[in-house]
Amino acid sequence: MKLSMGSVSRTVLRGVVTAGAAGALALAVSVVTTGTAAATPPGLSCDTGKHAVDDYTGYALCSNDGGATQTFWVHLVCGWAPDVDGEHITLAPGQSGQSTAHCADIGTGIGEISVQP
């Protein structure tokens, strides 16, 4: 079997490209799966999640259990698309409210949802 230098170079290049793509994919997956949500700010009780029929829309539903007025918003990590923040919600003690945000459809969907003070 006779191999030319061109076919060897193409084979090596193909292997490098394949390994590089696999490594980039593994990194992207590990970033999404190993991300941890930030703790809920003190004085707030919050539930977070994705919209029932839209995997690109996330929410934070919070109650102010403290004694002072608090402001919060939802923050979505959106994979390939830019991260987004929801509207800022201000709650007096005893009140509840919801902040929502939507990741761009070009992305891979929501990778993490957190509540920001």
Side-chain angles (χ1 to χ4, degrees):
M1 177 174 159
K2 180 180 175 189
L3 292 176
S4 69
M5 190 57 159
S7 66
V8 170
S9 295
R10 281 192 296 272
T11 302
V12 170
L13 180 59
R14 210 176 289 130
V16 169
V17 169
T18 302
L25 181 58
L27 177 62
V29 170
S30 70
V31 168
V32 170
T33 58
T34 62
T36 57
T40 301
L44 292 175
S45 297
C46 300
D47 290 319
T48 61
K50 294 179 185 177
H51 190 278
V53 295
D54 181 3
D55 284 339
Y56 289 82
T57 299
Y59 67 88
L61 176 60
C62 297
S63 297
N64 183 347
D65 298 332
T69 299
Q70 298 219 33
T71 299
F72 76 95
W73 60 93
V74 68
H75 175 77
L76 304 180
V77 176
C78 296
W80 296 104
D83 297 349
V84 293
D85 289 330
E87 62 276 9
H88 292 208
I89 305 297
T90 301
L91 302 175
Q95 287 186 323
S96 296
Q98 179 173 303
S99 175
T100 59
H102 184 81
C103 291
D105 293 337
I106 61 167
T108 54
I110 299 171
E112 180 182 310
I113 303 172
S114 62
V115 179
Q116 302 297 310

